[in-house]
Every structure is written in C-alpha cells, then in structure tokens.
Amino acid sequence: MSKLQFKNVLVLGAGKVGSTVADMIAEYHRIPVTLADLKPGRSVESDRLVRRIELNVESDAELGAALSAHAVVINALPFYLARRVATEAARRGVHYFDLTEDVAATRAIRELSATATSVLMPQSGLAPGVIGMLGGHLAGRFDELYDLRLRVGALTRNATNSLRYNFTWSIDGVINEYCNACDAIVNGQLVSVQPLEGHETFTLDAEAFEAFNTSGGLGTLCETLKGKVRNLDYKTIRYPGHRDAMDFLLHDLRLIERRDLLRQVLEHAVPHSREDVVILFAAASGLREGRFEQETRVGRVFGAPLRGQQRTAIELTTAAGVVGVLELLQEGKLPQAGFVGQEQVPLEQFLATKVGHYYTSLGVAPAAQEHTGEPAHA
C-alpha cells in the first residue's frame, strides 16, 4: 500500500477529547488541524497548527463545506451524530474516524462502507478501539482459543461519594453503555447480554475492583472472532459498590425509561474529575502446542502534559487510539477504502506509532515487566 499525504485534518467537537486529538496531531505529526464546534473557543494566535472554527454539523451546507476542504475527518461529537457525519464524509470521499461506542451507529456506518471510496473507521478510541487491537493480538497467540476477557475502566483516583465514581468523560456515553444491550460470545454462540449483569470482583496490585457488562466496548470483535473462541466478553471496571447504586437508579427507580431525567440527576449530583486513571486488563486462555495456557496484559495510564496543558488519562488514551490509526493509514499500513475494524490493526504496529508510548505496557508480558522493573503504565 502506498503512503498518503494529508495536508490537513478536520476534528469535529472541541470538547476535552476533541481538543486533545487536535493537539496530539499537531504535536506528533505537525499537520494543520481545523477544530470545529458550535462553540469552538478562541484560537491561540501563536498556534499555527490548530485553527478553531464555528460549525453547525446539522447544517448540510456548513458540514459539506468543511468536509470538502479536508482529506480526513475525526468525529469527536456525541454518538448520535456519528451516522450523519459518516454519511456526508463517505459521500465526499473523505476518510472518516470516530470514537463512538454506539452499536447502531457503527452498523449504519458499516453499511455505508460497501460503496465507500474512503476509509470508514468508527470506534477508534480506547474501548472500543485499542482494547479491540489487544483482543485481536491475544487471540492470534493461541492455536485454539477458549476464553477472551477484556476489561477497561476510566476511574477517578479519589472517589468519595456513594457511587464511588466521578465523571471523567461523557455523561451521554456512560448512560449509553449502561442502558444498551451488550454483545458477547457464550459457548461459541454470538449472544446479547444485559448491561450491569455479569458482575464480578477482582484485585489488581492489592486494590479491589468490580466489573460488569456494558455496551459497545468490543466494537466488531465478536463478529470477527465468531467460530474462533468459546467465550468472549467485555466489562467495565469500577470500584466496588458502583454497580449496585447504578442498578438502583436504572431499574428500581426506572430511570432507564427516562434517560433525559437520568442525565439531569447525574449531571447535578455526580462531579466531574480530572484526577483519573485508566486501567486495562485482558486475559486469554487456550491451547498452545497442545498445552492449556493463559496470557494476560495489564496497563495503567495516568494523565500527562501535552502542548503545555495537563491532560487526563482518558483524554490521552482516547486521543492516542485515533491518532495512532490515522498515522497507520497515512503510512499505508491500513486498507485505504471501506470499513476497517479495530481488531484489523496489528497491536505491534500501533504501539510503534508516535503516540503508541501511551500504551507501552500492553506489548510487554507481565513476567517481562517484573524482570525489567518497568511500571505498568505510560
């Protein structure tokens, strides 16, 4: 595949993650970025790489003009706008990436890809996103794969309320993954399981956690591994007690039927926090050379500065997911048209990108980490 030269990139959504994506592209690739939003904020005069513009994506004329002026669009807007932006991008032959966890939006985008002349690659963040690359990587290391368990948590480092939780990313995204059905493979069959179910507890480095089903984290991995794995699931990591409190809100108070009211309650009562940590845990078991074995990966990522601003762990890990695959597309290491799933990306190639260092520990087996004394975080 030939290399692609991108003269500019359009990033839709100037929130915390969208701004981090724009700054990460500017920092590591020196490509001019247009950061667009209804309320984009002011451009910094001295910043020659990131330009902020006002844009209403629900205006056909405004969205079409912005897309036509760029070769690539990264959609960091709320999930319910994914289908609209992807449709317009495909119509104009613009390469499309997004960060959505919404299953319905991804299915719609996949349908668009049948005739697309550009890449359509949704779910390019953390989970879905990099966790799918990790799952695909571990699956390929077994002759016969029995179980693949993928766990991710974006957690506040200092939870003091009864929910044991502060918002570190989108409220709408959290509600969506807590309320929608979840894909899984059980005994070799593709099934739909309920969010908040499948509760489990475990410890990492002597710290207690719980995990439970949430929607969208696997992306298209279930379809890819159907017939190749006995059991596959994805669960969100939280501190113990969170799941029961959310179950009370969603089911005992029936706020799952009033998502607008649920959003108001959570926005009013649960604070946001920039003191966060992202935890990734994956375990695969199966046969290798006739022996039953298990392999695991554990990573912790904390916040760090980027272009003079302190960024949270969830901002960095999400942005790195999409900026890394953008680099692989530019380098000619991905298909250059049609739908691309995250598990199609070789983990080693992603970790070798300019932003792969945020996930360094995922390429190192636990035994090797202990031997070298490397920490399990970037």
Side-chain angles (χ1 to χ4, degrees):
M1 299 180 187
S2 59
K3 292 186 177 182
L4 303 176
Q5 296 297 323
F6 299 140
K7 295 182 179 179
N8 53 26
V9 176
L10 175 64
V11 176
L12 298 178
K16 298 297 185 182
V17 172
S19 298
T20 304
V21 170
D23 281 333
M24 196 172 283
I25 294 171
E27 176 71 15
Y28 289 98
H29 293 283
R30 316 306 297 175
I31 299 174
V33 180
T34 304
L35 183 58
D37 201 316
L38 269 175
K39 298 179 180 179
R42 291 185 179 181
S43 295
V44 178
E45 292 184 7
S46 60
D47 191 345
R48 299 181 180 180
L49 290 175
V50 178
R51 177 176 65 101
R52 294 173 179 259
I53 66 168
E54 184 176 332
L55 175 67
N56 178 9
V57 297
E58 303 208 53
S59 164
D60 292 341
E62 289 187 34
L63 179 59
L67 289 170
S68 297
H70 298 82
V72 181
V73 60
I74 297 174
N75 178 13
L77 294 167
F79 69 89
Y80 49 82
L81 292 169
R83 185 182 311 190
R84 171 176 176 77
V85 176
T87 300
E88 295 302 316
R91 183 177 300 168
R92 290 166 173 78
V94 176
H95 297 299
Y96 173 88
F97 299 85
D98 72 32
L99 311 171
T100 187
E101 78 291 335
D102 189 67
V103 174
T106 298
R107 288 175 180 162
I109 292 170
R110 193 165 194 169
E111 292 176 2
L112 292 172
S113 68
T115 57
T117 59
S118 58
V119 164
L120 301 180
M121 194 170 185
Q123 304 183 314
S124 295
L126 166 62
V130 177
I131 194 66
M133 301 178 203
L134 177 59
H137 170 77
L138 289 176
R141 292 175 59 80
F142 290 84
D143 301 322
E144 185 177 346
L145 185 62
Y146 289 176
D147 301 298
L148 181 58
R149 311 297 191 188
L150 303 175
R151 310 287 185 260
V152 176
L155 302 168
T156 179
R157 295 170 67 183
N158 303 294
T160 59
N161 55 24
S162 296
L163 275 180
R164 303 295 305 279
Y165 185 73
N166 291 346
F167 283 108
T168 62
W169 63 293
S170 163
I171 295 178
D172 291 316
V174 171
I175 292 173
N176 198 41
E177 69 174 21
Y178 280 18
C179 295
N180 293 345
C182 318
D183 292 334
I185 294 177
V186 178
N187 295 325
Q189 299 298 312
L190 183 61
V191 299
S192 179
V193 295
Q194 291 302 303
L196 301 188
E197 298 302 314
H199 182 261
E200 64 188 31
T201 59
F202 60 96
T203 60
L204 291 175
D205 297 328
E207 188 173 9
F209 298 98
E210 66 179 14
F212 48 85
N213 300 333
T214 54
S215 176
L218 288 176
T220 55
L221 192 61
C222 278
E223 296 174 44
T224 299
L225 292 183
K226 184 180 179 182
K228 302 176 183 178
V229 62
R230 295 183 184 180
N231 299 291
L232 165 63
D233 61 25
Y234 170 86
K235 297 181 182 181
T236 287
I237 299 171
R238 294 287 185 254
Y239 296 117
H242 175 82
R243 182 263 172 202
D244 287 347
M246 286 304 305
D247 187 61
F248 173 76
L249 290 174
L250 289 171
H251 297 113
D252 290 10
L253 297 186
R254 297 175 61 181
L255 292 182
I256 194 170
E257 302 169 11
R258 295 284 308 278
R259 295 193 193 185
D260 55 339
L261 179 57
L262 174 62
R263 191 188 197 287
Q264 292 177 37
V265 169
L266 293 176
E267 189 171 33
H268 176 73
V270 181
H272 290 260
S273 174
R274 297 188 60 78
E275 300 170 346
D276 71 334
V277 57
V278 166
I279 300 175
L280 300 96
F281 175 72
S285 62
L287 294 180
R288 283 198 286 219
E289 298 181 351
R291 186 169 72 171
F292 182 45
E293 295 186 357
Q294 176 174 293
E295 186 170 340
T296 62
R297 294 285 191 276
V298 181
R300 291 178 187 254
V301 184
F302 296 93
L306 175 68
R307 297 194 86 206
Q309 294 187 43
Q310 184 68 23
R311 313 293 174 142
T312 66
I314 190 62
E315 290 163 6
L316 293 173
T317 51
T318 304
V322 70
V323 175
V325 293
L326 174 65
E327 178 179 329
L328 293 177
L329 175 63
Q330 188 175 25
E331 291 294 315
K333 296 178 180 179
L334 294 181
Q336 297 182 6
F339 185 90
V340 181
Q342 301 303 315
E343 61 274 14
Q344 292 176 244
V345 181
L347 182 66
E348 298 90 341
Q349 290 187 10
F350 171 79
L351 294 177
T353 64
K354 295 177 180 179
V355 297
H357 63 86
Y358 290 107
Y359 288 97
T360 298
S361 60
L362 297 186
V364 182
Q369 289 175 7
E370 293 172 7
H371 177 72
T372 60
E374 292 293 329
H377 60 81

